[in-house]
Amino acid sequence: MTYGSRSGAYPPASKWLHWLVAGSVLTMIPIAIAMVRVGEGPLQNTLYTLHKSFGILVLGLMVARLINRIVAGAPAPEPGLAPWQRVASSATHGLLYVLLILQALGGWLANSAYGAPTPFFGLYHLPNLMAENKGFADQVFAVHRIVGFVIAGLAAIHIAAAFQHYIGSRDRVMQRMLPRALGGD
Ligand code: HEM
């Protein structure tokens, strides 16, 4: 019986980074959907500031995750997973890494091209990445909206799979990423 083995768990730094990114993305996507629909006014400005700030936070956290993943690695796949499950989970995780980094960079780039400021939680403003070019901004934002919903879809699949392991198969896949205080390995 391998249940309860701590050797298969992610390192603590990987768990922290995972849950910080998860919380940020799950906060910022509903904010994005609301901000483009509420109409002009102070509420919309606040939602835009929050969306951009969480986006920049996700960019920083994802770069840290990438470095951490290269340095600390990841535990071997949970024993007992079917080959298709290993392929599906690696593909989903890899896509989420790539899309989250490109999405955040694309948002910052489009925002710069639009000539809008890029605030970070009211602490400071990030520099603009390029000179104003509204036509280019419109094109990058069109891609940004589509990729945003692709990320939301992948996140939903990722969360559903985690709960399927936790409640359905009752293996240790979820516990590998859960903090020890919440029953993680
Ligand atoms: C991983 C990070 C990000 C995700 C997942 C994300 C997601 C989204 C989504 C789903 C929308 C579409 C909302 C809708 O049309 O209903 C959106 C719009 C937008 N995002 Fe992001 N975003 C990210 C990062 C950023 C960053 C870093 C910035 C700017 C610094 C930014 C600026 C914007 C703006 C200005 C819009 C509105 C575009 C428009 O009016 O068409 N986003 N984002």
Side-chain angles (χ1 to χ4, degrees):
M1 175 115 158
T2 54
Y3 284 5
S5 157
R6 295 194 184 283
S7 61
Y10 280 88
S14 311
K15 291 182 180 179
W16 270 102
L17 288 166
H18 172 271
W19 292 109
L20 285 172
V21 170
S24 301
V25 171
L26 292 180
T27 305
M28 72 182 299
I29 291 183
I31 288 177
I33 293 169
M35 79 190 180
V36 297
R37 289 167 177 82
V38 289
E40 284 181 22
L43 174 61
Q44 187 180 55
N45 294 341
T46 305
L47 293 175
Y48 267 95
T49 298
L50 281 174
H51 178 74
K52 294 175 191 180
S53 304
F54 274 112
I56 296 299
L57 180 63
V58 166
L59 180 59
L61 290 170
M62 286 308 296
V63 170
R65 273 188 90 170
L66 201 56
I67 295 167
N68 177 66
R69 174 78 184 223
I70 292 164
V71 173
E78 168 80 3
L81 288 191
W84 74 265
Q85 288 178 307
R86 292 182 190 198
V87 172
S89 67
S90 301
T92 312
H93 301 163
L95 257 180
L96 280 169
Y97 264 84
V98 172
L99 290 183
L100 283 172
I101 291 175
L102 291 181
Q103 175 76 343
L105 277 175
W108 186 7
L109 185 70
N111 200 55
S112 305
Y114 192 78
T118 305
F120 186 71
F121 295 111
L123 299 174
Y124 56 87
H125 283 75
L126 276 89
N128 275 1
L129 295 177
M130 61 178 285
E132 197 173 309
N133 182 340
K134 287 223 161 58
F136 180 72
D138 285 345
Q139 287 176 344
V140 182
F141 271 137
V143 177
H144 186 82
R145 285 195 293 272
I146 294 167
V147 174
F149 287 109
V150 171
I151 289 173
L154 283 173
I157 291 169
H158 178 72
I159 295 165
F163 276 98
Q164 156 59 24
H165 285 290
Y166 194 55
I167 296 163
S169 339
R170 291 174 176 267
D171 52 29
R172 304 297 293 178
V173 168
M174 175 82 110
Q175 284 83 346
R176 286 152 59 95
M177 194 49 100
L178 276 182
R180 298 263 281 267
L182 295 179
D185 288 340

